[in-house]
C-alpha cells in the first residue's frame, strides 16, 4: 500500500495542477482578446487619421480654390465692365481725367485690386492705383495721352492730384506685355507673374482689348492684383499645428504660401530680384513637398488632376494633396496642402494611452476574477483530493462538507461521501468476514492438530480405505501390528 501511494505521488509530480489548467488558458484568452482589441483600436485610429487628414486637405484645398477663383475673377470682371463702358462711349476713351476718376472709384471698391488702367492705340496711359495692399492712392498719365513721359501723382482723399511722385521717359503702353498679349489673343489675357520694380510684392495683370461700336481697336484695359493677398489668405487658414499650403506655377515658381517667406528674393543690383522656386524654399516642409511631387510625377506639368500623396520627410509621415487650378484665360497653377501626421497624433496618442491603460486594467481585473473563480472551483476539488488520499491511507471516517454552491461540485461531493460510506461499510464487512475466516481456520488447525495427535498415539491400529477398499493410510500402531509401512500398505485391498 505504501509503495503504491509513493508511486502515485511520484506520478502526480509530473502532472499540471487544476488551477493552472483553468487559469492559464483563461489568462491567454484575456491577453489575446485584449491584444486584438488594442490592435483593432490602433488600426481604426490610423484609418481615422487618414480619413481626417483626407477630409481636412480636401476642405482646405477647396476653400483655397474657391477664394483664388474669386480673387482672380475680379480683375477680369472689372475689365469687362470698363471695356464695355469705353467701347460704347459711356466713358470717353480720349479723356484721361474721366478715366482716372472712374478707376479711382473702382480701386476704392475692390481692395484686392491694386491698379486699373487703359492704354490707347497711341501709346498713352491713364492709370489709378494704390501703393501696396493698404497704401495711399495715386494716378498716372502720359503727356498728351500719347506715348512719351509717364508721370505718377499722389492723390488726396478727394482724388485730386497732390504732388508728382515719379517720372518715366519714353513710355509706350503698346510695347507692354499686357497690351500686346490682349491684342494678340483678341480677348482676356493674363500676363506673366512679375516682381514690382520697387521689390515690394509680386503681381499679375489681367487685360482685355477694347473695341468701339465699329469693332475698331481703341486700346486695352487692364487691372493688376498683388499676389500677397493670397499669402495673407493662406496664413489665416487653420492647417493644423504644422501644416502648410502654398500655390505655385507649373514651372515650380512660388505664387504664395501660408508662411512668412516671400515668394521672391531681393538680390543685389548685379543679379536683381528673382522669383523663388518651391524646391528652393527656406521652409523645409514646402521644399520637401516639392521634392516629393517631383519624385512622384517627374515634372509639375504632369499633374493634371487632383492627386493625393503620402511621403516621409524628416522621419515623419506627411499627407499631401495637390489640386490643379485652371481658368479660361490661360492660367495654370497648383494648390498644394501638406499636413504632418503628427498634427493628428496628439489626440490619437492620448486615446491610445487611455485605451492601453483600460485594457491593462481590464486584464488585471479579468485575471484576478479568473483566479478567484478558479480557486472557487479548485478548492472543493482539492478537498476531494485530500479526502481521497486519506481514504487511500485507511482513514475511512473522513468525508467532505456538503456546502458547495456549484451544482456539479455539490453533486460530486454527495457522490463522494456516498461512495465513502459504501466503501467503509464494504471494507468493514470484509474485515469482519476475514476475522471470522481466520478464526475458523485457526479452529480447524487446532482440530487437525488434536486429531493428528490422537491418530498417532492410539494403541489400536487404524487403517483408512477408499470406497473400493484400497488402503490409503494407517497409523503407527497399524504399521507395528501388520509389520508393513504405510507406503507398502497403500493400494492393498485385503490383509
Amino acid at each position: 500500500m505504501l509503495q503504491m501511494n509513493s508511486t502515485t505521488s511520484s506520478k502526480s509530480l509530473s502532472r499540471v495542477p487544476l488551477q493552472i489548467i483553468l487559469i492559464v488558458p483563461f489568462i491567454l484568452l484575456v491577453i489575446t482578446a485584449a491584444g486584438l482589441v488594442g490592435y483593432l483600436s490602433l488600426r481604426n485610429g490610423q484609418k481615422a487619421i487618414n480619413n481626417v487628414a483626407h477630409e481636412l486637405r480636401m476642405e482646405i484645398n477647396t476653400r483655397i480654390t474657391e477664394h483664388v477663383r474669386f480673387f482672380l475673377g475680379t480683375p477680369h470682371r472689372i475689365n469687362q465692365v470698363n471695356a464695355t463702358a469705353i467701347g460704347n462711349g459711356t466713358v470717353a476713351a480720349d479723356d484721361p481725367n474721366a478715366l482716372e476718376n472712374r478707376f479711382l472709384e473702382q480701386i476704392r471698391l475692390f481692395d484686392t485690386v491694386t491698379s486699373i488702367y487703359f492704354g490707347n492705340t497711341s501709346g498713352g496711359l491713364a492709370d489709378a492705383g494704390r501703393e501696396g495692399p493698404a497704401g495711399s492712392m495715386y494716378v498716372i498719365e502720359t503727356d498728351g495721352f500719347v506715348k512719351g513721359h509717364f508721370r505718377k501723382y499722389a492723390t488726396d482723399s478727394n482724388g485730386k492730384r497732390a504732388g508728382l511722385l515719379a517720372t518715366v521717359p519714353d513710355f509706350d503702353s503698346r510695347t507692354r506685355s499686357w497690351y500686346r498679349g490682349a491684342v494678340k489673343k483678341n480677348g482676356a489675357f493674363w500676363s506673366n507673374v512679375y516682381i514690382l520694380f520697387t521689390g515690394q510684392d509680386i503681381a499679375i495683370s489681367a487685360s482685355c482689348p477694347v473695341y468701339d461700336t465699329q469693332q475698331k481697336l481703341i486700346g486695352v484695359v487692364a487691372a493688376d492684383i498683388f499676389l500677397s493677398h493670397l499669402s495673407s489668405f493662406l496664413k489665416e487658414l487653420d492647417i493644423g499645428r504644422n501644416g502648410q499650403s502654398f500655390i505655385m506655377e507649373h514651372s515650380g515658381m512660388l505664387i504664395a504660401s501660408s508662411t512668412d517667406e516671400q515668394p521672391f528674393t531681393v538680390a543685389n543690383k548685379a543679379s536683381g530680384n528673382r522669383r523663388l522656386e518651391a524646391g528652393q524654399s527656406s521652409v523645409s516642409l514646402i521644399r520637401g513637398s516639392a521634392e516629393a511631387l517631383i519624385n512622384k510625377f517627374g515634372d509639375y506639368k504632369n499633374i493634371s488632376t487632383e492627386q493625393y500623396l503620402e511621403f516621409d520627410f524628416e522621419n515623419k509621415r506627411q499627407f499631401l494633396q495637390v489640386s490643379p487650378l485652371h481658368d479660361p484665360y490661360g492660367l495654370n497653377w497648383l494648390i498644394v496642402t501638406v499636413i504632418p501626421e503628427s498634427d493628428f497624433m496628439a489626440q490619437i496618442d492620448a486615446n491610445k494611452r487611455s485605451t492601453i491603460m483600460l485594457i491593462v486594467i481590464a486584464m488585471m481585473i479579468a485575471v484576478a476574477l479568473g483566479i478567484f473563480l478558479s480557486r472557487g472551483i479548485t478548492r472543493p476539488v482539492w478537498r476531494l483530493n485530500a479526502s481521497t488520499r486519506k481514504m487511500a491511507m485507511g482513514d475511512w471516517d473522513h468525508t467532505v462538507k456538503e456546502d458547495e454552491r456549484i451544482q456539479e461540485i455539490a453533486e460530486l461531493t454527495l457522490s463522494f461521501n456516498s461512495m465513502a460510506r459504501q466503501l467503509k461499510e464494504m471494507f468493514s464487512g470484509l474485515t469482519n468476514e476475514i476475522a471470522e475466516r481466520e478464526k475458523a481456520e485457526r479452529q480447524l488447525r487446532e482440530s487437525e492438530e488434536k486429531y493428528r495427535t490422537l491418530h498417532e498415539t492410539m494403541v489400536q491400529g487404524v487403517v483408512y480405505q477408499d470406497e473400493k477398499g484400497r488402503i490409503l493410510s494407517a497409523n503407527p500402531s497399524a504399521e507395528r501390528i501388520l509389520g508393513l509401512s504405510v507406503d507398502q500398505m497403500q493400494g492393498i485391498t485385503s490383509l
Side-chain angles (χ1 to χ4, degrees), residues 366-394:
V367 170
L369 183 60
I371 293 174
F372 175 76
L373 293 176
S374 67
R375 290 187 64 184
I377 295 173
T378 57
R379 189 182 297 112
V381 176
W382 287 339
R383 288 200 294 265
L384 288 171
N385 184 43
S387 298
T388 303
R389 288 177 178 273
K390 290 183 179 180
M391 289 178 63
M393 296 175 66

Side-chain angles (χ1 to χ4, degrees), residues 38-57:
Y39 169 75
L40 293 176
S41 176
L42 294 178
R43 185 175 180 182
N44 291 336
Q46 188 62 52
K47 287 183 178 180
I49 289 176
N50 293 340
N51 292 336
V52 170
H54 179 75
E55 294 296 330
L56 181 59
R57 286 177 293 171

Side-chain angles (χ1 to χ4, degrees), residues 44-93:
N44 291 336
Q46 188 62 52
K47 287 183 178 180
I49 289 176
N50 293 340
N51 292 336
V52 170
H54 179 75
E55 294 296 330
L56 181 59
R57 286 177 293 171
M58 284 190 60
E59 179 183 352
I60 291 172
N61 271 25
T62 299
R63 289 184 61 187
I64 294 173
T65 300
E66 292 175 352
H67 178 83
V68 172
R69 288 192 182 280
F70 180 80
F71 176 76
L72 297 176
T74 299
H76 285 290
R77 289 190 292 271
I78 294 172
N79 288 342
Q80 290 173 1
V81 171
N82 288 336
T84 300
I86 296 171
N88 61 22
T90 303
V91 179

Side-chain angles (χ1 to χ4, degrees), residues 111-317:
D111 58 358
T112 60
V113 179
T114 58
S115 181
I116 303 174
Y117 44 97
F118 172 70
N120 59 26
T121 52
S122 299
L125 179 71
D127 187 347
R130 59 167 58 90
E131 299 287 0
S136 57
M137 300 293 184
Y138 66 85
V139 293
I140 297 174
E141 180 183 344
T142 56
D143 293 346
F145 205 23
V146 295
K147 71 174 184 176
H149 280 74
F150 166 107
R151 302 184 190 277
K152 181 178 180 180
Y153 298 93
T155 62
D156 58 22
S157 58
N158 296 318
K160 303 298 182 181
R161 296 180 182 182
L164 182 65
L165 297 176
T167 301
V168 178
D170 300 325
F171 180 84
D172 188 343
S173 61
R174 295 170 298 183
T175 63
R176 300 296 172 174
S177 60
W178 55 268
Y179 189 103
R180 288 183 296 150
V183 172
K184 181 178 180 180
K185 188 177 180 182
N186 194 26
F189 170 78
W190 281 113
S191 72
N192 292 326
V193 176
Y194 61 93
I195 304 174
L196 298 179
F197 69 91
T198 60
Q200 181 184 16
D201 206 337
I202 59 174
I204 189 170
S205 301
S207 57
C208 176
V210 181
Y211 299 94
D212 61 14
T213 55
Q214 305 300 319
Q215 295 301 307
K216 179 181 178 182
L217 179 69
I218 57 178
V220 173
V221 289
D224 292 353
I225 49 177
F226 286 166
L227 297 180
S228 58
H229 285 283
L230 294 177
S231 292
S232 298
F233 172 75
L234 295 181
K235 291 176 184 178
E236 294 174 357
L237 294 175
D238 184 7
I239 318 175
R241 290 180 300 159
N242 302 297
Q244 301 291 347
S245 289
F246 60 95
I247 304 171
M248 65 179 179
E249 296 181 281
H250 275 88
S251 63
M253 294 294 180
L254 280 173
I255 299 294
S257 73
S258 57
T259 69
D260 293 328
E261 181 183 41
Q262 293 284 359
F264 61 93
T265 59
V266 180
N268 53 44
K269 293 182 179 180
S271 59
N273 300 333
R274 65 183 181 84
R275 293 182 59 198
L276 186 67
E277 292 185 15
Q280 299 172 339
S281 173
S282 61
V283 180
S284 60
L285 191 55
I286 293 178
R287 189 172 60 251
S289 301
E291 181 180 352
L293 289 172
I294 289 295
N295 291 337
K296 176 69 174 179
F297 301 102
D299 194 299
Y300 300 121
K301 294 179 181 178
N302 295 328
I303 306 174
S304 57
T305 59
E306 194 167 61
Q307 299 289 335
Y308 303 93
L309 184 64
E310 295 179 12
F311 65 98
D312 291 329
F313 180 71
E314 295 180 347
N315 297 322
K316 295 181 181 179
R317 193 180 183 205

